[in-house]
Amino acid sequence: MTLSIGSESRTSRFVLMATLTVLAAGSVRSAGAWDLDSSRDQFRTGKYAECLEACRKAIETDAYEPRWRMLMIDSLLALGRYHEAAVEVAAATRYYPMSISFLRLAHRTYLQSGQVDRARELLTTIYRIAASRRLASIDSEDLVALGDTLLLLGAEPRIVLEEFYNRALRSDPNCREGYLAVGDLALAKQDYQLAADQFRKAIERFGDDPDAHCGLAQAFYYSDRAEMLKSLDAAFVVNPRHAESLILLAEHQIDCEDYDGAAKSLDKVIAVNPHHPDAWAYRAVLAHLANEPDREVNCRANALKFWKTNPHVDYLIGRKLSQKYRFAEGAEYQRRALKFDPAFLPAKGQLAEDLLRIGDERQGWTLADEVHTQDPYNINAYNLVNLRDNMAKFATADANGLIVRMDPHEASVYGDRVMRLLEQAKSHLCDKYGLELNHPVTIELFRNQQDFAVRTFGMPGGDGFLGVCFGNVITANSPRAERAANWQATLWHEFTHVVTLNLTQNKMPRWLSEGISVYEELQHNPRWGQRMNPQYRKMILEGGLTPVSDLSGAFLNPPTPMHLQFAYYESMLVVEFLVERFGFDALKAILADLGQGEEINAAIARHTAPLKEFESQFEAFARKRAESLAPQIDWEQPEKDRVDPSDPEALTQWLAKHPDSFWGLRLHATQLLAEQRWEEAKEPLKKLIALYPDHVEEGNAYQLLALAHRNLDETDQERPVLEKLAARSADAAGAYARLMEIAEEQEDWPDVLENGDKYLAVFPMLSTVYQRMGLAGEEVGRDDQAVEAYRRLLLLDPADPVEVNYRLARLLHVSDPAAAKRHILEALADAPRFREGHRLFLQIVDSSEPSSATADEPRPLSLTNEGIR
């Protein structure tokens, strides 16, 4: 959903338009327009005190232009002199009692000074004034101010956007307030693309405007932190004291766990405005994260010093805590905000998301529905309501403290596998870390990636995420949504988060949480998790390690997807180093300290070594790991201008000087394969494998060598190559499938079963895998395994359901005659002339009659378009 979607309310529009009648609004222009522009420039660049002084002098010389007083009041508000601003507003109102723009500023001033009733009365006054005018006669600035007022009074956003903001911009393309108003409305409705477009237009038209740059930064906050920081830098170039930009920077720094940096950013705001409520709200967040409850209370009190029932303060604190995975604490702050103002929809929407993430679904969905009903243009609420309808169709399994929800068709095919894996993870990991889970854990698998993103992030997107854990709720893409990944490894990873987040009460840095989860993947299955690779080696040896104290920030603003993956790997490497050097008990002790509210760096120092020493030792550990990767390989790579990869002669010369070059051997082999020179390609590929046997990333030498063997019909040589790859890789689905095919041809039935299990850990919804596993189970006498495979195969629309039902009936006719009868009747319904089927049916009905389908007889005959043969 976007802000531009939806139909206008004809009734609301008629009422609004009918009440706006004719009144010409003339503007008195001051002769000192140049002085006014100069003062505005002072305000724009953060010289608020100087601007205030200039405004006072102009007013003292009888400058009647209302913009002088409006600029003076804006300056007082920027400096935190709220009561003084309210006094000036009250005095000036008698001069401009009909100015909508001035009265809208007065409303904001009264709110900031805590005069909520007077502020509320002003909204009614503005509406009454506007009702006496014709819409066409209201100038652009007043149109925007009137639109702001109508939104506060509950008008439909779509009408305000079209009839006020856009009308103002059509009549006056230089109406700065119009662009900012549309951008702010889009931000409020989570339409970040529209917001970015509007703020860009403002920047293009008006040049360096810190408000527009800050708005653009807000539009990028959830999608592109690098672009956000660029926009903030642009704002600071113009106005280094711009409060909104400094607060957004502080919020970003909190996300990066740069709490000292965030405190400094907030100090800059408070140095200008000692009473800025948002700055004090974020100071309260920092106090909460530092486990300083008394300071948290004092900071919140300062945020509410003037406007004591400001719901935005508690909303901000709670939202930030929830973004730090403190969902229960965040929800409590949203409840406080709603006590101040039960109609404050941002808090209600955030509370809905918090409750859904801690498993209180009944109340969470109810609140999401309320927000959507009250504000149909709230994109998060719209998406959540649609998601609820989709999830209502999910199948649910509940056993041993685990609640699994997933698509009903997928649940019928492999839901039991999911439950078995999670039960194993729960038993093993809880025992290992000493955790007793006394409440259920909910796991939701989404076949639709966008549903996963909405459930997880509140909005579509989230590409690249396989799963997310909120503590006692796990959301994950199903294998159908993310076919290339090993879903078993993903769920093991996420359940590790359940354990560590519960142990620490969600009070742990992201890097440690992710590092332990990747570490536990590798501990459980050496084919899972991440390993050193050429890219990571290069990054480590070229100084690309992030200091442990800053490691969480590496997840937030990675320049490339590779850097994000490296953040996971480095975090795992820190955990591995910690356990290897200081013992697993040290890791558990750190988690225990975090649960008590201890700061991570202090906890590490207490149980390992001083942080600087720890980081130095870890860097040496990581460098040694990087240097030990395939030590016989020549990792040197030519500069782009020195060797043309497309020039065979240049490549030959490079390889002559660098015969063990990873880069050269791969490129040489790839070129040979592209030219279908299969035999020649084998030599560099075999050499690559010998030099670097653990390289199993996409395009690895095993895959390429197997391809060469296959094209040369060298199956006996292809198979061992693929087996080596399958033994090292957790998601080489192509290798598993080919090994099953070869094993079936060679009647190596145990190998079919082994590689079938590996394949199902990547993608459990392919019918041919179950068909082969069923046949293999029969051949080795594992009837139960064969029955399980054939039953799943029937759910996947097999090419020959008659044969599958027949095989099931024959396998079950002794152990479960009733089920066998059902299956043979299904087969006969589809193929009435199936003679072997009739014989088996009679045997099932009359169990005393000897079976005609004995072990000495041929297997079931195949079907053709002409019937049974």
Side-chain angles (χ1 to χ4, degrees), residues 402 415-425 788 792:
L402 299 167
D416 57 334
R417 285 177 172 264
V418 172
M419 183 63 80
R420 283 200 299 271
L421 178 83
L422 290 168
E423 288 174 340
Q424 183 185 7
E788 179 182 313
R792 298 175 200 274

Side-chain angles (χ1 to χ4, degrees), residues 97-147:
M98 304 298 287
S99 170
I100 294 174
S101 296
F102 180 81
L103 294 177
R104 173 68 181 94
L105 174 60
H107 169 266
R108 183 160 62 92
T109 303
Y110 284 139
L111 278 182
Q112 293 284 18
S113 63
Q115 301 179 59
V116 178
D117 292 338
R118 292 189 70 177
R120 190 178 299 114
E121 291 170 2
L122 276 178
L123 295 180
T124 305
T125 300
I126 294 172
Y127 184 84
R128 188 174 61 251
I129 291 171
S132 66
R133 304 181 184 181
R134 258 186 48 218
L135 195 63
S137 69
I138 302 178
D139 70 18
S140 58
E141 289 186 17
D142 276 0
L143 269 178
V144 173
L146 179 55

Side-chain angles (χ1 to χ4, degrees), residues 179-193:
Y179 295 103
L180 299 184
V182 175
D184 288 340
L185 177 59
L187 288 176
K189 305 305 176 188
Q190 301 91 42
D191 190 343
Y192 300 111
Q193 183 60 56

Side-chain angles (χ1 to χ4, degrees), residues 768-780:
T768 55
V769 175
Y770 293 107
Q771 183 177 0
R772 287 190 169 119
M773 293 183 73
L775 178 60
E778 284 191 83
E779 293 291 347
V780 298

Side-chain angles (χ1 to χ4, degrees), residues 137-338:
S137 69
I138 302 178
D139 70 18
S140 58
E141 289 186 17
D142 276 0
L143 269 178
V144 173
L146 179 55
D148 294 345
T149 301
L150 294 173
L151 283 176
L152 293 171
L153 289 170
E156 191 172 345
R158 178 72 177 137
I159 294 178
V160 172
L161 176 66
E162 288 298 325
E163 298 300 337
F164 296 90
Y165 296 160
N166 286 344
R167 181 188 287 266
L169 290 171
R170 286 193 296 269
S171 66
D172 179 8
N174 289 319
C175 179
R176 169 184 175 274
E177 291 75 13
Y179 295 103
L180 299 184
V182 175
D184 288 340
L185 177 59
L187 288 176
K189 305 305 176 188
Q190 301 91 42
D191 190 343
Y192 300 111
Q193 183 60 56
L194 175 60
D197 291 343
Q198 291 301 308
F199 291 123
R200 283 195 188 98
K201 289 178 181 178
I203 294 167
E204 290 169 4
R205 184 168 290 272
F206 305 109
D208 286 329
D209 186 313
D211 290 337
H213 284 302
C214 183
L216 185 58
Q218 289 175 292
F220 284 123
Y221 179 83
Y222 292 104
S223 61
D224 192 335
R225 292 295 175 96
E227 285 298 319
M228 181 201 77
L229 291 172
K230 287 180 184 178
S231 294
L232 286 181
D233 285 342
F236 292 137
V237 168
V238 183
N239 182 354
R241 307 169 81 198
H242 192 251
E244 288 73 18
S245 296
L246 287 166
I247 288 170
L248 185 60
L249 177 61
E251 186 174 2
H252 167 73
Q253 290 166 323
I254 292 172
D255 292 342
C256 296
E257 296 175 12
D258 179 11
Y259 300 135
D260 290 340
K264 291 176 182 177
S265 296
L266 296 174
D267 287 346
K268 292 179 181 179
V269 177
I270 291 172
V272 176
N273 179 352
H275 311 297
H276 199 295
D278 292 1
W280 282 108
Y282 283 118
R283 275 192 166 183
V285 171
L286 292 175
H288 186 102
L289 296 175
N291 197 30
E292 297 177 356
D294 292 339
R295 186 162 68 91
E296 179 182 357
V297 170
N298 290 335
C299 290
R300 178 177 180 268
N302 282 330
L304 296 170
K305 181 175 181 178
F306 288 90
W307 181 3
K308 298 187 181 303
T309 59
N310 181 0
H312 191 69
V313 168
D314 286 326
Y315 162 71
L316 276 186
I317 298 172
R319 182 179 63 108
K320 199 73 243 162
L321 291 178
S322 295
Q323 289 173 354
K324 302 300 288 183
Y325 276 43
R326 311 287 184 89
F327 301 110
E329 298 103 304
E332 185 56 36
Y333 269 103
Q334 302 309 333
R335 291 188 178 99
R336 290 185 184 184
L338 291 171

Side-chain angles (χ1 to χ4, degrees), residues 420-430 491-492 495 499:
R420 283 200 299 271
L421 178 83
L422 290 168
E423 288 174 340
Q424 183 185 7
K426 179 182 178 183
S427 174
H428 173 76
L429 292 168
C430 287
L491 291 183
W492 196 276
F495 205 90
V499 173

Side-chain angles (χ1 to χ4, degrees), residues 375-412:
D375 182 4
Y377 297 97
N378 185 296
I379 293 178
N380 279 7
Y382 172 88
N383 290 333
L384 283 174
V385 169
N386 281 347
L387 173 66
R388 178 198 58 195
D389 295 340
N390 292 339
M391 290 186 64
K393 304 169 188 173
F394 276 19
T396 300
D398 186 344
N400 299 319
L402 299 167
I403 301 171
V404 177
R405 297 195 182 103
M406 55 193 300
D407 173 81
H409 184 223
E410 293 192 3
S412 64

Side-chain angles (χ1 to χ4, degrees), residues 515 519 522-523 569 571-581 621 625:
Y519 173 80
L522 284 164
Q523 292 298 302
Y569 177 74
S571 299
M572 181 280 298
L573 209 57
V574 175
V575 173
E576 185 177 336
F577 162 72
L578 192 157
V579 172
E580 182 178 307
R581 183 67 55 85
F621 174 86
R625 179 66 59 86

